Amino acid sequence: MDGASETHTPVHEDVKGTIPQAAPCPEESHHATLPACRSTKCHSQSTLLSIFSLEYQKRTKRTISRHHAPEVIESHYQRYLSEAKAHPTAPVLLQLANEVDLSPALMARLILDRFLQDLEGGMPSKTLLNSMLKEPSLIPDLLLANNIYQCTINDCCYGPLVDCIKHAIGQEHEVLLCDKLKERNLSFLDENQLRAKGYDKTPDIILEVPVAVEGHIVHWIESKASFGDDHSHRTYLNEQFWSYWNRWHSSCHLRFGPGLVIYWYGFIGELDCQRDRGILLKDCFPTDIVTLCHASQQERAPRAPE
Amino acid sequence: MAALLESLLLKKVDNKSVLEWLKNVEDGDKLSFSKPGVTVHKQEFVPFLLNFLREQSSQVLTNGPATPAKTPSRPKPPAQTQGFTDRKSCRSAGGGVGSRSASRVQLFTPATSESSGTDWDAVGQTGSHCLSGVSAFSSPSFTTACSPAFRPQGSERRSGQRISLGDYIVSPPELQHSPNFQSQKGRKRSSGGAPPGGQGRRGGHHNDESGGRRTSRGGGGVISSRITEQVSPPKMEKLNLNNLEDFPPVGSSTVSPAASKPSRRINPTPVSAERPHSKPKTCFTSTPFSKPSSPPPGVEALEGLMSVGSPLSLQEERELLKREKKKRAHQFSSPPPPLLEPCTPTKSDLRAVSKVTPDPQTCYPEPSKVTFCLELDLLAELYCTCISENLVPNIILELFFVMQLLTSWPTHKHDDDNQQSLCRVNSDVLERCYLREIHNCVYFAVKVLEDQFQLVSHLDKCTLRLLAENERVASFSPELRDRLTQAQDRSTAKLSPSASTFIHSVPFQPATDNRSNFGSDKAFHTFKKQRDIFYELLREWEDFHKEPGWNFDSVLGSRIRGMMSQLTSAGTHSHFARLFLKQLVQMCKYPSVNTSPGDSADADLLGMLGADSLGRLKRLEERLIQPHGVIGPCPPPSFPGQQEFFRDFLQTASCCQLNQHLQDSLCQQLLQLDEVSILSPPASTGEGEEEDGDMEQQDEKQRFASVLLLARLLAKFLGFISFLPYQTSEKPSKEIQDSAIIMRSTSVPVLDVCTVLRKSMKRRRTILTVPWLVEFLSMLDFVGPLLLCYRTALATLLLLYRRLLLRRCGEICYLNKLLMVSVLGWLFQIPVIPEDIFFTNELAEVPELEDSNTSGAGLDCILLVDQQLLYTCCPFLGEFRKLLAAFVSGSTAKSGGIIRKITPTSAELRDTPAANRLQQKLQVDLEQAFFHNQPPSLRRTVEFVAERVGSNSVKHMKATLVSELVERGEKMLRDGLQLSHCNPSKLNDSICAQLCDAGLEALTKATRFCCEKSPEAIRILLPEETSPAVLMTSENITKRLATEKACSWLSANITALIRREWKSRYDRVLKALGSPVSPVSGDVGHAGVGLVTQEQSTPKRKQGCERAAACPPQCSHSASLPSDILIELKELLSIAVGPRTDEELPTSSQVKILLQKVGDTLACKKFLTVVSEQMLLNTTVLLACRLVSAELPVLSTSGFSVGVEDVVDPGLGSDPAVRTLLEQLAELWGGDWCSSVPLHLLFTPLTVTAVLKASDTEWNNYLFLVRKLVEMGIMVEEEVISHWKKLTNLALPVGLIEKFQHQSQSMNPTLPLAEMPSHMDRLQISHQTVEGAT
């Protein structure tokens, strides 16, 4: 996940120290080195960033509710109004967010929501809100627009731009995964093909012919461009992985069954305890792949060179 | 408990907190409330509430059977429970005694029947019970839940048992010890249905008036409670007198035999002083016995006395009684009310109920007459919470009770004003009569129904219709009626009758039936002979078992026993056991819909004749002559239809070898069935519940239903055989029980129910396991539930039941849950199951249910149960319909006669002539016959191939016809949209309709497909040697089956399929055509931008991951990853937006390199998605804005800032570094990969203001950029002008306007923007934003 942009984001005291000041150097982030890279150095930085991002989100989830109380929102809003009036050029909203210890982008959202309520005399639609956050120039109040933009651009974990970056990272890893599979001559269906077939919840990849990785059967592969911590892994397990596994029983032409999850940014080793039950974890594309080999089949995919 | 309810009613306690407490599972079950030191246990409060409601409504409920709540008054320590599971007697006798002071009103207290202060209450009960031939001693709660005939009831209470109130009853000593034969006589008479008068009654103790009236309306053998208490009923060989199926009072008038009855006396019983606070209760069950009139003041007075705690002398009571009787005699003198029948769970009685003549004056409940609204609301809320939270033992029962309230008729006129006032003025809130008035009852019922709508809406269509048409519902809640009407439309209940029960014998199977499978020729031949005898017996039973006087044991017994001894000598029990089971499964797997004994008899004949119309006539006939038997939602376990034969056979044979073989085999089969894997539907999980899903899914559902029904049947017989040795006619005494427990706990139970259950819960397969386990456990004997293994299993089931909250949408599908909740609730009401189990804390002993998350979703999460299966497994759900129908007939019958509402059943396949259908039927039978003599593999092959070919043809239709149609539709749509400004949605509709019409072609195409493919497959799969005739026949059968399968699916689903496919195509086309789908865009930005915005704000993969266009040829994909570039751009922008330090400012060369990388990344499409591409472009435009406004000053390469301070000649306004970057940007945007750069961002007030606020240099840079864009053809001049125009319409601060005008005028007029100044004067001046922008 993105963690590289928090240079300007004052983060919470207890985590700030652990976060490398990320100025992503081009070499490091070059795609060719990224997923395949086993070198600890490059891994550790993106891993740390990913961990930070996860921790930050967890923390936000824990604390967000206290900012959602109407009276709290109101007080934030009033403070913003008065301070913005007093210091039109200062980044007041960003400061406010840091002061009350809330993600700036979320603070921007709250304030904008409140502002629009006044403007429209009712709850603003989500799409309107999102589009304004994404494109602050749509906000009628220029000063607020500036402040909002300042908040969203300076947030390392939330906001439209960060969302887009996360999305892009996820996509890139999926593309790389597909590349790897093609290299190995493994025939597969990707998410789009599956969706076209009417599946609503699918892994990123389903192998048309299963393979074995480290002695475990793999029918599907899920790519996770994030660090696999216990919390997120549990969530994924419940929301995704087990349901893939369960589909094992489900269909004649596509078997989900046991599969592989690749956490490109690493994972907590202890989480890889479900191998026997059909979920294998890796932090890179596996090297030890065994394919079905029929005697008659001469030109099967060569085994991994190493 | 009482205190809590009292406080609630007095509003001393916040009802919210109590509701919360009820809902909360974790926080223990105690509630402490305002009254210091008082804590309430949930398991005490809930039964108290239920009892309270039952008691409250006891006066009004006349309709339908009792709805018992198996709720002891309070939990008892386990040690005590053993003593009180006297099922046929007052259930909670022991407990009640112990807790009198604790509960004010106990519905199930032991005192109720025997010691009722108001004798005629007792009489009423007695009378009504006698009607059904059940001893009056049995509590109505268990008359409904009477155990099956094979377990004759024991109602004797022995001294060894715990004290019950009965023991306090003062009655003549000789009667206390009345000999059994007497009661047996009474019993027999009542079982005979028309006992001669007088015999069963005790001479000297009859009260003439009441007895006379009673009997005149009662009918059956009237036995006083004294006698019946001692009743030890004879072993009932065949008839379960209480079972309506066994003992239908068809045609027998209940009135006539009664008329011959002499009057009888009632033995008045004094009220025990032990219950100072409880009313001399009528309430004994939910609908204890409806009195034909309201309780007279005498009763109230009596109650008053009681409450003071002074026991009345017998004499006083007699006086009261006399007074009361006089009063009532007067009341009813002119119109003798022979039809006002006390409500009991007997059929004859119910019949009478439906005859109730509603008094037009009294019986129309009106919303305006409702009293105690607030309290009723509160009660309803509490009650609903108990139901929703599964705190009640059986939610179906509660729903039934509510329906009874809804359909109740007041049996008396409330002319007693003082009585009413007594109700109101009464200082004790709990003594008020909340539910005495019909208005209140209906109000309450409607409230609860509204709350429980979800549950109600899952009932069958007919019930919903009856409810929706119920005028009371309409008058009390039109909204509920509307919702019901809607639900009715949605209900897909197809309660179709099951297949005919054409009896086939079990075919000969060489694998098991060959000579080689037998030890000797003799054994082989003996078995063949026994086999023939078995079928002979079966046929004979079929033909004669319903003849009056026919007795299984006496007619078939000797032959069966002879058969058994033959088998024993030949050692062929295992073979016979297999035959027996196969026959059982073949005949009984699908319970016939109409379980009344009447219809299975002729099913055979009808089946052979194929005469459907005859069947309909038969059904019609039945409906006309058979009364509506409302049995209530808790029928006893029974062996309906042909199962009866097998049960009787086993009982008569009583052959331990056979039983052992059967047990072994049943166990094995059951465990195998329990493991069966059912495939979950491939993809559609989020679909609506009602959707039938795919063809495969439907098959799986059917397979599941078949497995479930089979498992239930086998489990019932396994339970029957296993517990047969322990069945006792009566509940054993405590000592016997204890020793039985000790002995039996040392032997291994036949089935390890706990393990099976635990495993199933862990693997989430409870939807399969629980229903059959329930069947198994329903066969338990008295001691069984007290054994540790069954006790644990019951407690686990209870825990499961508590967790199956219908309202909470867990992962278990609603109908799956409903099925489990229904069968579990039914189980908990079965007499042998100790009632205390539900309201104890013993659950804590059960190992906490493991979190089953680990193994993924099992069967529970698959939509497997449909309404059909639900009703098949829980036939008692149909009781709602009966109850409501009885209400309809009652309410419309002015004369009081029965008007049976006959719902016309539409004749299916109307177009097929009868002869044709007969032919078809014959064909099917021929096919069956064909398979019968072929190896089983042939049938399996044919069925398999037919199944696959049928399925393939459907898939083929989907892939070919449907997709062609959708293509055609798309063309039509595109043409249509081009043609005119027609309404897309109208066009959509018309195209859709055309496509659906064309889709019907699928049927013929599928038929062709099946006819082509089936023979090929069959030919390959059958042995080469198969004779041509057999091959041909097999091919044809396969064709027919495959076609049938395909066509039935297609005709049901093709339209929906086409619609669905078309809809997604339609949406895609519209989106592609860029029709204004986005609600965001408005007039603020471009429609296109709006779309993009919407897309990006929530990076949904679905839209976002469509790859952008292809890479240029020879792309090495070595450009930076979009995410990295985005991170860098974000970095740069955050510096631009600030806050920042000067050291962070980038140099122009850094920016330049970055922009180059952006260009590379945009060019390579490999990693780019629509979302990331758009975001990249977006950020570059924003970067341009910041550069041009100098908000992001770039350091010159030499290290100097080229920002605001470093103003170069304003006239030229050019800063080389910035301009170079701007040029680079313009080139970037001009690249052919950039289709939709959000350049409008350059013209937002935000940007323009920032530019104007800066120096002239910036303005010039800005103009430079715009000019460049126009020059390069990236923007058209008109576009720029329109942006300007928009800008002029917006509010800009005064100072800036002036500056803007000034600046604009200094522009080079030769440039394309020459027109600009003319717009400047149109700039509106606004003061609003001055502060903000400057």
Side-chain angles (χ1 to χ4, degrees), chain B residues 1103-1123:
Chain B
Q1103 315 154 349
C1105 47
E1106 286 157 28
R1107 302 253 170 267
C1111 281
Q1114 283 113 32
C1115 174
S1116 63
H1117 312 303
S1118 55
S1120 303
L1121 288 174
S1123 61

Side-chain angles (χ1 to χ4, degrees), chain B residues 276-585:
Chain B
H277 287 291
S278 53
K279 291 184 184 180
K281 257 324 110 193
T282 56
C283 42
F284 179 61
T285 65
S286 60
T287 48
F289 28 84
S290 41
K291 287 167 274 184
S293 79
S294 63
V299 176
E300 298 293 330
L302 192 137
E303 283 169 5
L305 280 168
M306 297 300 298
S307 61
V308 192
S310 73
L312 290 173
S313 75
L314 210 59
Q315 196 49 50
E316 282 172 298
E317 283 186 38
R318 283 210 170 107
E319 276 307 308
L320 283 171
L321 189 66
K322 220 173 262 171
R323 260 168 34 212
E324 162 61 10
K325 285 189 177 133
K326 265 187 200 137
K327 184 173 221 152
R328 292 197 321 161
H330 173 73
Q331 218 168 312
F332 290 107
S333 58
S334 35
L339 297 176
L340 294 180
E341 204 52 51
C343 154
T344 59
T346 67
K347 205 167 188 175
S348 42
D349 192 33
L350 294 162
R351 242 178 90 162
V353 166
S354 53
K355 281 190 244 173
V356 163
T357 318
D359 181 341
Q361 297 232 293
T362 49
C363 63
Y364 289 112
E366 290 168 34
S368 57
K369 289 191 183 163
V370 176
T371 51
F372 299 120
C373 262
L374 283 177
E375 286 85 352
L376 284 174
D377 285 347
L378 178 77
L379 286 172
E381 204 174 354
L382 282 173
Y383 187 55
C384 288
T385 309
C386 289
I387 296 177
S388 304
E389 298 295 311
N390 285 9
L391 294 172
V392 299
N394 185 344
I395 59 170
I396 301 298
L397 179 65
E398 299 308 320
L399 193 61
F400 191 78
F401 169 63
V402 171
M403 297 258 195
Q404 278 186 307
L405 282 179
L406 178 73
T407 57
S408 56
W409 291 110
T411 49
H412 54 85
K413 226 177 152 191
H414 275 286
D415 47 356
D416 276 18
D417 283 340
N418 49 352
Q419 190 184 319
Q420 284 191 10
S421 64
L422 205 143
C423 279
R424 273 174 205 164
V425 178
N426 199 325
S427 58
D428 188 340
V429 280
L430 291 183
E431 298 288 341
R432 287 183 195 152
C433 304
Y434 298 109
L435 291 176
R436 163 160 307 164
E437 294 287 346
I438 183 99
H439 318 287
N440 287 12
C441 285
V442 174
Y443 177 81
F444 178 82
V446 168
K447 273 265 165 227
V448 177
L449 287 179
E450 275 176 341
D451 187 82
Q452 296 295 323
F453 180 75
Q454 194 190 15
L455 175 58
V456 174
S457 67
H458 281 85
L459 293 174
D460 66 310
K461 202 169 184 166
C462 186
T463 308
L464 290 177
R465 182 175 57 80
L466 286 166
L467 259 184
E469 288 171 3
N470 189 304
E471 70 262 31
R472 294 184 174 180
V473 172
S475 70
F476 276 74
S477 172
E479 191 215 354
L480 177 62
R481 184 199 52 200
D482 295 345
R483 288 169 74 193
L484 284 165
T485 314
Q486 281 167 15
Q488 190 192 328
D489 295 338
R490 265 181 273 125
S491 173
T492 54
K494 284 169 278 191
L495 299 180
S496 60
S498 57
S500 80
T501 44
F502 183 74
I503 299 179
H504 292 283
S505 60
V506 175
F508 180 84
Q509 282 171 13
T512 49
D513 301 342
N514 243 339
R515 160 69 186 87
S516 58
N517 293 293
F518 291 84
S520 63
D521 279 340
K522 185 169 172 283
F524 181 51
H525 291 298
T526 314
F527 176 69
K528 280 202 295 188
K529 219 184 282 167
Q530 304 319 317
R531 192 185 139 99
D532 293 341
I533 297 176
F534 177 66
Y535 282 110
E536 194 183 305
L537 294 172
L538 185 55
R539 279 192 297 271
E540 191 169 334
W541 177 83
E542 288 268 310
D543 293 344
F544 298 112
H545 78 282
K546 277 193 298 288
E547 309 247 313
W550 194 86
N551 179 299
F552 192 95
D553 193 64
S554 61
V555 179
L556 303 179
S558 61
R559 270 185 287 170
I560 290 175
R561 281 184 285 271
M563 202 177 141
M564 287 302 123
S565 72
Q566 287 286 312
L567 287 172
T568 308
S569 67
T572 47
H573 281 296
S574 65
H575 287 94
F576 183 74
R578 188 171 53 241
L579 173 70
F580 185 87
L581 282 186
K582 281 196 171 149
Q583 193 63 46
L584 168 71
V585 169

Side-chain angles (χ1 to χ4, degrees), chain B residues 937-1132:
Chain B
S937 67
L938 177 76
R939 183 190 202 124
R940 283 203 299 273
T941 310
V942 165
E943 283 173 354
F944 172 74
V945 171
E947 202 264 354
R948 290 324 310 156
V949 171
S951 178
N952 286 348
S953 85
V954 169
K955 280 183 188 145
H956 188 64
M957 288 309 117
K958 274 190 198 171
T960 55
L961 180 68
V962 175
S963 67
E964 274 166 30
L965 284 175
V966 172
E967 290 293 334
R968 206 191 300 169
E970 179 176 344
K971 197 171 172 300
M972 284 157 77
L973 178 67
R974 285 180 188 275
D975 293 350
L977 286 175
Q978 272 171 4
L979 271 181
S980 57
H981 290 288
C982 73
N983 183 352
S985 77
K986 263 190 194 154
L987 190 59
N988 176 31
D989 291 345
S990 87
I991 292 175
C992 193
Q994 289 178 46
L995 295 185
C996 289
D997 282 348
L1000 295 178
E1001 202 190 338
L1003 291 169
T1004 52
K1005 287 197 167 182
T1007 308
R1008 209 178 308 140
F1009 183 95
C1010 291
C1011 292
E1012 275 170 23
K1013 303 284 175 184
S1014 307
E1016 297 169 22
I1018 283 290
R1019 242 170 277 146
I1020 290 171
L1021 290 175
L1022 289 187
E1024 292 276 337
E1025 292 71 27
T1026 313
S1027 82
V1030 172
L1031 189 63
M1032 173 74 97
T1033 313
S1034 308
E1035 283 174 12
N1036 289 336
I1037 295 176
T1038 313
K1039 274 192 227 170
R1040 185 187 67 78
L1041 290 175
T1043 312
E1044 215 168 62
K1045 188 178 165 72
C1047 289
S1048 71
W1049 193 90
L1050 284 172
S1051 58
N1053 296 298
I1054 187 75
T1055 312
L1057 182 68
I1058 292 175
R1059 273 180 201 285
R1060 199 165 54 209
E1061 295 288 313
W1062 169 244
K1063 169 136 198 342
S1064 67
R1065 176 63 66 93
Y1066 172 79
D1067 290 345
R1068 214 182 314 156
V1069 170
L1070 277 203
K1071 208 167 175 181
L1073 290 179
S1075 101
V1077 202
S1078 162
V1080 199
S1081 52
D1083 54 356
V1084 191
H1086 298 235
V1089 174
L1091 258 177
V1092 172
T1093 322
Q1094 199 187 12
E1095 220 169 42
Q1096 288 175 348
S1097 55
T1098 46
K1100 275 199 194 123
R1101 285 180 158 201
K1102 227 169 183 170
Q1103 315 154 349
C1105 47
E1106 286 157 28
R1107 302 253 170 267
C1111 281
Q1114 283 113 32
C1115 174
S1116 63
H1117 312 303
S1118 55
S1120 303
L1121 288 174
S1123 61
D1124 293 328
I1125 298 297
L1126 279 172
I1127 290 170
E1128 285 187 58
L1129 282 169
K1130 178 172 181 285
E1131 193 69 22
L1132 201 56

Side-chain angles (χ1 to χ4, degrees), chain A residues 2 4-5 7-8 22 24 26 29-31 34 88-89 91 94 127-128 130-131 134-138 140 142-143 145-146 149-150 152-156 160-165 167-172 174-176 179 191-192 195 198-200 204 222-223 238 242 245-247 249-252 277, chain B residues 678-683 685-686 696 853-858 1079-1080 1084-1085 1089 1093-1094 1096-1099 1101-1102 1104-1105 1107 1117-1119 1121-1124 1126-1128 1130-1131 1133-1135 1137-1140 1144 1157 1166-1167 1169 1171-1172 1175 1178-1179 1182 1186 1240-1241 1244-1246 1249 1331-1334:
Chain A
D2 165 52
S5 51
T7 333
H8 293 280
S29 43
H30 192 272
H31 76 89
L34 222 172
T89 52
L94 187 58
T127 34
L128 181 67
N130 282 331
S131 63
K134 160 97 192 22
E135 202 180 312
S137 54
L138 296 177
L142 295 187
L143 181 55
N146 273 324
Y149 193 58
Q150 219 160 27
T152 54
I153 202 75
N154 276 311
D155 197 309
C156 64
L161 187 47
V162 174
D163 286 344
C164 181
I165 291 168
H167 164 79
I169 292 178
Q171 283 300 312
E172 289 154 15
E174 278 178 38
V175 172
L176 285 162
D179 278 0
E191 218 177 344
N192 294 320
R195 208 163 266 134
Y199 289 80
D200 57 343
D204 294 327
E222 178 80 12
S223 157
N238 289 337
W242 287 131
W245 193 90
N246 188 45
R247 300 280 154 88
H249 305 281
S250 68
S251 157
C252 304
R277 310 170 88 166
Chain B
I678 302 288
L679 310 182
S680 70
T685 39
E696 273 146 22
N853 262 351
T854 42
S855 56
V1080 199
V1084 191
V1089 174
T1093 322
Q1094 199 187 12
Q1096 288 175 348
S1097 55
T1098 46
R1101 285 180 158 201
K1102 227 169 183 170
C1105 47
R1107 302 253 170 267
H1117 312 303
S1118 55
L1121 288 174
S1123 61
D1124 293 328
L1126 279 172
I1127 290 170
E1128 285 187 58
K1130 178 172 181 285
E1131 193 69 22
L1133 280 172
S1134 69
I1135 294 170
V1137 174
R1140 60 162 177 258
E1144 286 169 333
K1157 286 203 283 188
K1166 180 165 182 186
F1167 295 96
T1169 63
V1171 172
S1172 48
M1175 188 54 101
N1178 193 41
T1179 40
L1182 288 172
R1186 299 292 160 170
H1240 68 279
L1241 293 174
T1244 59
L1246 207 60
T1249 314
E1331 287 291 60
T1334 45

